Amino acid sequence: MQAIRKHKFVHILDDPGSADLSAYVDFAAIKHSAMEASDDISVHGPMTQSQLLGSLGINFRVEALMQNCDEKQAESLRTGYWRLVGDGEAPFWEGPDDQTPIGMGSRYLAMAIVNKKQGSPVPF
């Protein structure tokens, strides 16, 4: 398990609630365990955060927001978008090197475990 605050790793118990928590997950083991637990279970994924957010329409949302914003807001949207769906350092960044947005689009994964009666959840 790890905690990240303002794009830096911090101790997971340092000021609880002020950092994002994540963990390295064995998705194959979780999928196997879920499917072994019940015949009524359906497992979807994993898929990358970029695929998940893309399927949910992040591109359309950012495009719509860019229609009505000033340049400072547009830069904030581009930077935030890259952090969520990009991979590696942002190619468009013109600010200080130590603040270059690093994309998490392929670093984080999502999986859904549902009852088969529910069908496939969006966006899987």
Side-chain angles (χ1 to χ4, degrees):
M1 179 166 259
Q2 61 189 10
I4 303 169
R5 181 185 313 115
K6 296 183 180 177
H7 315 293
K8 297 192 186 313
F9 291 106
V10 296
H11 190 278
I12 61 171
L13 297 178
D14 178 38
D15 196 14
S18 69
D20 292 328
L21 299 178
S22 65
Y24 293 99
V25 176
D26 185 343
F27 283 98
I30 291 173
K31 184 174 189 171
H32 176 76
S33 295
M35 294 176 78
E36 288 288 316
S38 173
D39 289 335
D40 296 328
I41 295 294
S42 176
V43 181
H44 305 271
M47 67 170 36
T48 66
Q49 176 171 288
S50 181
Q51 291 170 319
L52 176 83
L53 294 174
S55 295
L56 291 173
I58 191 171
N59 299 341
F60 300 110
R61 181 66 178 144
V62 169
E63 199 174 292
L65 291 171
M66 295 282 276
Q67 299 296 322
N68 299 310
C69 65
D70 60 33
E71 188 52 41
K72 185 176 179 180
Q73 292 167 325
E75 182 63 26
S76 179
L77 282 169
R78 282 191 291 273
T79 300
Y81 174 81
W82 185 263
R83 281 196 179 108
L84 291 172
V85 302
D87 189 21
E89 291 188 354
F92 59 82
W93 184 250
E94 296 179 9
D97 288 342
D98 64 338
Q99 295 178 17
T100 303
I102 305 297
M104 303 177 290
S106 62
R107 186 177 306 165
Y108 294 101
L109 303 174
M111 174 184 277
I113 302 172
V114 299
N115 186 301
K116 283 183 179 177
K117 293 178 186 174
Q118 293 178 299
S120 295
V122 174
F124 295 92

